[in-house]
Every structure is written in C-alpha cells, then in structure tokens.
Amino acid sequence: MSAKAHMLELRTSPHMQRAEGVETIMLNVVIALLPIVAFAVFLFGVSALALVIATTAACVVTEYIVCRLASKEPTVNDYSVVITGILLALTLPPGLPLWMAAVGGVVSVVVGKAVFGGLGYNVFNPALVGRAFLQAAFPTAITTWSPPLAPGRFTSFIPSTLTAPFAMANPIGDWVKSLGIDGFSGATPLALQKFEHIPTNVGSLAMGMTSGSAGETSAILILVCGAYLAWRKMLDWRIPASMLFSAFLTSGAFYVVNPDQYPTPVFTLFAGGLMLGAVFMASDMVASPVTPLGVWIYGALMGILTVIIRLKGGLPEGVMYAILLGNAVSPIIDNLTQPRIYGARRAKAKL
C-alpha cells in the first residue's frame, strides 16, 4: 500500500458535498433573473435592455482585468459576476445614463468584491455596493423615473440613457410631455405614498405596472423566480421569508397606530425593492449567516430596518441600506447563534 493511501485528511464539518458546483448554482440564478429582465424590457423598452448590457459588460470586463492584475485565473466563467451586473441594473432607474451604470458596475466588482479577496470573500452584496455608490455620486439621476409602457419604447431610448460620458443626465421632462401620458408625476409608488399620501393600487404593484427601478416592479414575478431557486435548493428560503414577514408585522404595527399616515402592510411588501432585495440580494450566500437561528434573525433584522428607514427616514426606500447593514452584522449573528455541540457546553461567544 502506498504512503499516500495511509494519509488521513482532517477537516472541519460540514463533510457532505453537493453535486452542484458554484457554476451550476450561479447559472441557475442567472436563469431565474432572465424573466425579470425580460419584463423590465417589456415595461421600459430598449433603455432597460441597454442598462442590463452596460452593467453586466462593465462587471465582466472589470472582473477579468482585476483577476489578471492579481495574477489569478479569471473567474468570469462562474457567472457570479454576471449576476452582480444583472442585479445592479435591476436596482437602477431604467433611464439612468449608461456611462453612470458602467461606473456602478466597476465599483461593484472592485470595491464590493475584489478588495475583499474575490469570489467567496465579499462582506457586502457587490451589486448593492455599486448601487450605494451611484446613490451618493449621482443622486438626481438615480431618482429620475420613467413612465412604464411608454409609446415607442422598443424603437427609441429614453433621452437620458444616451447622455455623454461625464455629462449631467439629459432631462426627460419634454420627452414625457410628448408622450401625452396623463397623471405621471415622475415619482415611484413609495414616494407618492410617503410624501403625498397617495396610495397605489396593490394589484398594479403586484403585477408591476408602475414606475420604479427596472427590475423591482413586479412582486409576483420576483416571487415566482425565487420559488424556482428555492425548489432547486439554491436559495435559503428562510431569509426572504423572515425578511418579508418581519416587514409585514412592523409596517402593520405602524398602520394600526396611524392608518392615515402609514401604508398598509400589503403595500409595504409589494412596493419598491423589498421583494427583489429579499429574494435575490439578502440571500447572498457569502454575505449571509449560515446557522439555522442566525438566518431567521438576519432576515427579521433587515425587514424591520427596511420599514423603519422607509417610514422614519428621509428617503422613501430603505431596502438597500437595510441589506448592507444586515451584511455588516452577519458575522456577529453567526457567532452568537452557533448551535451547541451535542454533549458539550455552549462556549461563550466572542464578538
């Protein structure tokens, strides 16, 4: 018997391995995102398609360059960076200038992923890091919304889409007027409810026939796509479930106290980016806890934070900051919720 056969390899648990590799899981996430991308194109036309292409191309090229500079094998083929690019686009206004979207893609990969060591080491969701940068750098452009189902959306771009690099976004006011759309204020359902106390029909929110970020409008479609991943066991359903349930309860408490000022819990679930964030971003495999109790606490924390930021903060939306804060405390939650080893006393957790 050879010396190699006598070697005993010691590793920490878990010892079971799944048949699916990273590439397979990431490819299925991309497949799950494609219907949402298709609906965004249906709703906002060629500008939404160009937005997805711009962010994805920027992320892929940046990932390749970063890997080469670090003398590492490029990890473009594992689809993780494609997911980052698609998710970033889906969180952005459909008419955002393409050069700004590309900058967001570069920041997502470099700041959100590469500086932490690459795939598997990121602390925060990379797409949300890029989105947060764009929110700080281009606050006007990232809060300029386009009407859904605009005439000619498949043959012409939203004027702001083709803004020259490093220039301010082209205004879209005259373009909106030329469409002859009655009652479009340029605000999202969340902004209308928060600042003007004008509710949006829940049916429209569920189906996605509203203005907003490119991929956040249709709550039902996002749930169906998430259910596909959960069915394939490629999504920890407990995280979106706890996030949505806690958001429902928290907003319900506010609504009971003052129904004239605060929205219904159902509106909270279906409006804005809560559904997209809960299903596809909060459940980031790297940035979320792994302990059974930890994932429930993690999801509940983000749901509560989302509602508090929405109702008590200055911005109508709060999902992005809630998830980033959840990512930040994820290691602490993991550390505090380590299950007790059978037959042993629970060790005192170290923060």
Side-chain angles (χ1 to χ4, degrees), residues 146-147 150-151 153 156-159 171-180:
S146 308
R153 63 189 182 281
S156 59
F157 291 96
I158 299 170
I172 66 170
D174 292 339
W175 171 72
V176 173
K177 290 180 180 177
S178 69
L179 298 176

Side-chain angles (χ1 to χ4, degrees), residues 22 48 67 70 74 77 92-93 125 179 211 215 230 235 240 247 256 289 292 297 323:
V22 173
C67 289
N77 293 335
L92 299 175
N125 183 290
L179 298 176
S211 62
L235 168 73
V256 169
I297 296 174
I323 295 177

Side-chain angles (χ1 to χ4, degrees), residues 38-45 147-150 153-154 208-211 214 217-218:
F39 187 77
V41 175
F42 166 73
L43 214 58
F44 300 107
L149 304 173
R153 63 189 182 281
F154 298 122
M209 300 301 177
T210 63
S211 62
T217 58
S218 178

Side-chain angles (χ1 to χ4, degrees), residues 245-328:
F245 186 63
S246 64
F248 182 88
L249 291 180
T250 308
S251 61
F254 278 100
Y255 179 72
V256 169
V257 172
N258 190 346
D260 294 329
Q261 180 177 355
Y262 300 117
T264 67
V266 176
F267 176 90
T268 299
L269 290 184
F270 288 174
L274 178 57
M275 207 64 76
L276 182 69
V279 174
F280 286 101
M281 297 180 179
S283 57
D284 186 315
M285 293 181 178
V286 181
S288 56
V290 296
T291 61
L293 178 59
V295 293
W296 289 107
I297 296 174
Y298 173 73
L301 174 65
M302 292 184 293
I304 295 170
L305 288 175
T306 296
V307 174
I308 292 176
I309 294 171
R310 279 184 177 184
L311 300 184
K312 296 298 181 183
L315 298 173
E317 183 58 278
V319 174
M320 177 182 70
Y321 295 111
I323 295 177
L324 289 175
L325 289 170
N327 292 160

